[in-house]
Amino acid sequence: MPNPVVLRAAEIMGHLEKDKALKEKKDHFKSIPKNNFQLSLFEMDPKFTEAKQLLDQIDINAISPIEALLKLHEIKKEIGLIGLDLYILF
């Protein structure tokens, strides 16, 4: 076969393989199940709401740092966050 024909065939084959790879990638993303859970901008997670209510009941000017840490531990236990880091709550 003449060399220009082989080069052109290789060029066309490269484009076809690229197009096939892109199509497969798009098809793969379409086949992934979508998460239909959407967070509301104005509705808080019930755990956050419960934690806020518990924190609102504390008079921060009347407790010591140790009492604050104990109260925080108590709140984490009530809402089920014992064993998780605090930054997850906020």
Side-chain angles (χ1 to χ4, degrees), residues 4-83:
V5 172
V6 172
L7 291 175
R8 180 67 179 142
E11 183 181 334
I12 292 171
M13 182 68 125
H15 287 292
L16 290 173
E17 288 175 346
K18 237 187 252 182
D19 289 343
K20 182 180 178 189
L22 288 174
K23 186 177 186 305
E24 286 176 357
K25 209 180 262 189
K26 287 179 185 176
D27 290 342
H28 174 70
F29 286 124
K30 288 179 183 176
S31 68
I32 296 174
K34 293 182 182 172
N35 187 358
N36 293 329
F37 181 78
Q38 182 176 358
L39 294 175
S40 171
L41 292 175
F42 305 106
E43 184 179 324
M44 292 178 61
D45 186 325
K47 284 189 178 187
F48 295 153
T49 305
E50 183 181 355
K52 183 180 181 320
Q53 290 171 349
L54 293 169
L55 289 170
D56 285 342
Q57 295 172 359
I58 301 171
D59 182 10
I60 61 170
N61 295 320
I63 62 173
S64 70
I66 297 295
E67 290 172 326
L69 288 172
L70 291 172
K71 192 67 171 173
L72 182 60
H73 180 72
E74 180 185 321
I75 290 171
K76 284 177 69 174
K77 190 181 341 180
E78 283 187 35
I79 63 172
L81 291 178
I82 295 298

